[in-house]
């Protein structure tokens, strides 16, 4: 017999049998939802602001702002060296986790065949 309540309300099947749609805790879901990564601030912004204010005070004269230029350039070089030495992380992406979960997860519904 056809389940008329699903047809009349135009609902699809439940994600997990016995649990209403939208009420499944994230730990029990068969897929992993990608989380938003925390955006980091751009490096050397404070040094750049100090350099810009010095230029503005001294009518954009490089000679009067040599200390600020030096600190900004050192910071930029340090950041570039740090980026070059960084290795790729072993963190999994959400698509990798979903592939593994699909391989090893069996969802059991009301009608097991």
């Amino acid at each position: 017999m056809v389940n008329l309540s699903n047809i009349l309300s135009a609902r699809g099947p439940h994600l997990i049998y016995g649990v209403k749609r939208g009420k499944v805790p994230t730990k029990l879901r068969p897929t992993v939802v990608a989380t938003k990564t925390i955006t980091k601030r751009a490096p050397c912004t404070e040094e750049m602001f100090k350099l810009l204010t010095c230029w503005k005070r001294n009518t954009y004269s490089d000679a009067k702002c040599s200390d600020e230029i030096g600190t900004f350039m050192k910071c930029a070089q340090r950041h570039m060296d740090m980026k070059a030495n960084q290795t790729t992380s072993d963190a999994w992406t959400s698509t990798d986790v979903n592939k593994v979960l699909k391989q090893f997860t069996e969802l059991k519904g009301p009608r097991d065949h």
Side-chain angles (χ1 to χ4, degrees), residues 89-100:
S89 66
D90 293 332
W92 288 33
T93 62
S94 60
T95 54
D96 296 336
V97 173
N98 284 333
K99 285 179 186 176
V100 172

Side-chain angles (χ1 to χ4, degrees), residues 72-89:
F72 176 70
M73 294 304 284
K74 285 178 189 173
C75 179
Q77 186 63 42
R78 192 174 351 126
H79 178 71
M80 288 171 53
D81 292 341
M82 197 168 43
K83 267 301 223 198
N85 293 335
Q86 247 181 6
T87 59
T88 58
S89 66

Side-chain angles (χ1 to χ4, degrees), residues 16-112:
I16 297 175
Y17 181 71
V19 179
K20 293 182 180 179
R21 182 176 295 271
K23 301 291 182 182
V24 180
T26 54
K27 291 180 180 179
L28 297 178
R29 291 183 184 179
T31 57
V32 175
V33 180
T35 57
K36 188 175 183 179
T37 58
I38 299 171
T39 55
K40 296 179 181 177
R41 284 185 24 184
C44 307
T45 52
E46 291 181 26
E47 289 84 356
M48 184 178 61
F49 286 138
K50 289 178 184 177
L51 176 62
L52 291 173
T53 55
C54 180
W55 272 340
K56 191 171 184 179
R57 268 187 286 134
N58 297 312
T59 61
Y60 300 98
S61 173
D62 285 342
K64 295 179 181 177
C65 297
S66 61
D67 293 338
E68 285 81 359
I69 292 172
T71 56
F72 176 70
M73 294 304 284
K74 285 178 189 173
C75 179
Q77 186 63 42
R78 192 174 351 126
H79 178 71
M80 288 171 53
D81 292 341
M82 197 168 43
K83 267 301 223 198
N85 293 335
Q86 247 181 6
T87 59
T88 58
S89 66
D90 293 332
W92 288 33
T93 62
S94 60
T95 54
D96 296 336
V97 173
N98 284 333
K99 285 179 186 176
V100 172
L101 281 174
K102 283 181 184 178
Q103 288 177 354
F104 297 106
T105 303
E106 293 180 22
L107 293 179
K108 295 184 179 181
R111 292 176 247 141
D112 291 323

